[in-house]
Amino acid sequence: MLDKHGIAKRIAQELEDGYYVNLGIGIPTLVANYVADSINVEFQSENGILGMGPFPIEGDEDPDLINAGKQTITALDGAVFFDSATSFAMIRGQHVQLTVLGAMEVSDQGDIANWKIPGKMVKGMGGAMDLVASAENIIVAMMHTNRAGESKLLKKCSLPITGVACVKRVVTNMAVLDIDERGFVLRERAPGVSVDEIKAATEGTLVVEGEIPEMAI
Amino acid sequence: MIRKVVANAQEGIQGIENNMTLMLGGFGLSGIPENAISALRDSGVTGLTCISNNAGVDDFGLGLLLQKRQIKKMISSYVGENALFEQLMLSGELEVDLIPQGSLAERCRAGGAGIPAFFTPAGYGTEVGEGKEVREFNGKPHILESALTADFAFVKAWKGDEAGNLIYKGTARNFNPNMAMAGKITVAEVEELVPAGALDPNEIHTPGIFVQRIFQGVDYEKRIEQRTVRPRN
């Protein structure tokens, strides 16, 4: 079983040279720590920066330089700032090659729910609906089950959805799964996790074809 | 040159009335029009509809207007950082319209650009798309979103000149240029107001035509919401 850093490491393997990438808040943010030295990628934050760098050195924080999580950041050489409409033109216009975001639930049709829990305070969707509706390539990073041990990979989302039929790949603490017209297609197992354990933790339709390799992390 | 410079925020908000619709730039607490917000609070104007990506925190940004119950309705994409906001929303004192962030930015841009509405894929099939016209383009469903405009737009820039031309700094730019376009009266506050000619026309982000009033801001606090750092070793 992976921890959140393991999930981030596995997702970092999906990055290709020349990609512009938008990372959501939470586990996705950790992906930036595991990018291979052999490739060059640039991180976009939807509040208006391309070429986002690591957190600043203590004392160098700049209130005019934050990411979409409102955290202080730095700008790398070659970085650029832009307004919010231009930022979402990059996203909607599919100039950003990969979006990684967290989810509360994903359905075997590729629907995603990550913005609202009825009865709890609704904070808003931020940029999530634009991101999931627009990206060609969306990877969801999340735990396979919730704190109560219930599957987050469902036949149908029980929570209000953020986007319809948009998620292509899910990386959890237990597995890598693709989504196609058949449902969740199991691609890889996390180290030490069996196919049966993944089956038991997946409520949505799970397709298992042949030998399922263990992730190489 | 058209006269745009006003003395301060109090002059900047002249003409504000109860129940008006305002746009306020900023993302989180970055790039918010701090001086205008203070002046609005002191003016006692009420019943405002505020279009702003966020709603500030309890004691800063738009939180200051929430404290005095001056806001009737918020149109935002994310409002998570404000306990008072939650309380006012749950008690029904505050109306909230949540909009996907990209649609919010584009609706402001469209409002300023004379585009009354546009189709976007964001929100299709979700609560946001309910009741909105759906049309398919290139095999993909889109929903119709309408433009937004405001009686006043309040924006914050780094530098500005007497002609109303603006330059922003870092990610404090965010919604400011888009909202500057969509205000019937756009009021810009800047950290540094310079004479016309002092800014390089090649470097200007917001052309002065979108700005009706400009003033030199004072006492910027520029509060950081999430201070995240690496240790200096």
Side-chain angles (χ1 to χ4, degrees):
Chain A
M1 205 95 80
L2 302 175
D3 61 6
K4 58 186 183 173
H5 292 277
I7 296 172
K9 268 187 203 173
R10 177 59 191 82
I11 290 173
Q13 295 174 5
E14 304 284 317
L15 273 49
E16 291 182 23
D17 191 45
Y19 266 17
Y20 290 99
V21 181
N22 183 291
L23 300 177
I25 295 163
I27 300 173
T29 305
L30 301 172
V31 172
N33 299 332
Y34 302 109
V35 181
D37 293 334
S38 56
I39 62 169
N40 291 299
V41 297
E42 281 207 36
F43 293 107
Q44 197 248 23
S45 196
E46 63 268 25
N47 60 314
I49 177 173
L50 262 175
M52 178 169 48
F55 296 142
I57 301 284
E58 220 173 334
D60 291 346
E61 315 87 277
D62 179 353
D64 294 328
L65 191 42
I66 62 170
N67 64 17
K70 293 149 192 159
Q71 297 170 309
T72 45
I73 52 159
T74 53
L76 300 175
D77 287 349
V80 58
F81 304 114
F82 36 83
D83 66 76
S84 299
T86 303
S87 181
F88 282 92
M90 294 174 189
I91 291 164
R92 246 187 268 103
Q94 297 182 352
H95 306 283
V96 173
Q97 275 88 9
L98 175 66
T99 291
V100 183
L101 73 177
M104 298 189 279
E105 295 176 346
V106 175
S107 83
D108 60 21
Q109 314 295 304
D111 298 350
I112 177 172
N114 69 353
W115 78 283
K116 183 175 182 179
I117 301 174
K120 289 202 181 171
M121 169 66 183
V122 181
K123 294 186 169 188
M125 66 293 281
M129 284 194 183
D130 309 273
L131 282 158
V132 302
S134 310
E136 272 295 281
N137 196 1
I138 300 171
I139 299 178
V140 166
M142 66 177 193
M143 293 296 164
H144 211 97
T145 54
N146 64 21
R147 288 201 180 93
E150 298 156 345
S151 183
K152 296 171 71 172
L153 287 80
L154 307 173
K155 284 192 164 57
K156 191 174 188 308
C157 292
S158 67
L159 298 168
I161 61 170
T162 310
V164 183
C166 51
V167 178
K168 303 289 191 306
R169 178 160 269 211
V170 183
V171 179
T172 75
N173 53 328
M174 300 181 81
V176 176
L177 310 104
D178 286 339
I179 297 175
D180 69 18
E181 63 286 348
R182 296 169 295 169
F184 294 111
V185 182
L186 184 58
R187 297 295 186 203
E188 298 173 21
R189 298 174 290 115
V193 176
S194 71
V195 170
D196 284 340
E197 285 172 306
I198 295 165
K199 276 184 186 163
T202 307
E203 193 254 359
T205 304
L206 183 71
V207 178
V208 182
E209 297 169 316
E211 277 297 300
I212 304 299
E214 193 170 285
M215 289 179 206
I217 293 184
Chain B
M1 195 174 53
I2 301 167
R3 203 191 113 72
K4 295 184 178 175
V5 177
V6 295
N8 51 37
Q10 288 69 36
E11 270 190 37
I13 68 163
Q14 283 304 307
I16 284 276
E17 293 170 15
N18 293 343
N19 306 311
M20 275 187 165
T21 296
L22 315 183
M23 286 183 182
L24 300 107
F27 186 100
L29 301 177
S30 189
I32 60 173
E34 293 184 22
N35 285 206
I37 291 170
S38 298
L40 287 167
R41 178 199 54 197
D42 296 344
S43 77
V45 66
T46 61
L48 299 172
T49 295
C50 290
I51 303 169
S52 182
N53 189 56
N54 312 94
V57 294
D58 281 336
D59 61 343
F60 197 55
L62 285 178
L64 296 174
L65 303 190
L66 290 169
Q67 277 181 0
K68 293 186 73 184
R69 311 294 189 267
Q70 291 171 280
I71 302 177
K72 179 180 68 182
K73 181 178 182 180
M74 282 297 311
I75 300 177
S76 305
S77 88
Y78 192 83
V79 292
E81 327 294 348
N82 194 323
L84 175 63
F85 188 99
E86 179 173 355
Q87 183 198 316
L88 293 175
M89 191 169 118
L90 293 174
S91 69
E93 281 179 82
L94 181 66
E95 232 180 293
V96 182
D97 193 0
L98 293 169
I99 295 179
Q101 196 177 124
S103 297
L104 179 60
E106 190 65 16
R107 288 176 71 180
C108 295
R109 200 200 70 81
I115 306 284
F118 57 89
F119 283 96
T120 176
Y124 167 76
T126 74
E127 289 178 10
V128 167
E130 282 171 16
K132 290 177 182 159
E133 185 181 337
V134 176
R135 202 182 295 182
E136 221 169 83
F137 297 95
N138 305 319
K140 193 172 165 174
H142 294 70
I143 60 173
L144 186 66
E145 291 281 12
S146 58
L148 290 169
T149 55
D151 296 305
F152 278 81
F154 294 102
V155 301
K156 154 79 190 349
W158 180 33
K159 294 177 185 175
D161 70 15
E162 294 166 321
N165 298 307
L166 304 177
I167 295 176
Y168 307 91
K169 182 163 165 273
T171 54
R173 190 182 315 187
N174 56 64
F175 283 84
N176 284 297
N178 311 129
M179 292 181 169
M181 294 169 68
K184 290 190 190 92
I185 297 174
T186 291
V187 183
E189 58 183 84
V190 297
E191 290 177 53
E192 195 183 344
L193 182 62
V194 299
L199 298 179
D200 180 347
N202 290 300
E203 306 287 330
I204 286 163
H205 299 134
T206 291
I209 191 170
F210 296 121
V211 175
Q212 281 67 49
R213 300 176 190 169
I214 187 166
F215 66 90
Q216 165 78 59
V218 291
D219 301 331
Y220 282 104
E221 186 176 339
K222 293 208 200 180
R223 204 184 286 187
I224 290 174
E225 219 165 324
Q226 305 281 344
R227 188 178 300 274
T228 46
V229 295
R230 287 175 291 158
R232 188 184 293 276
N233 18 329

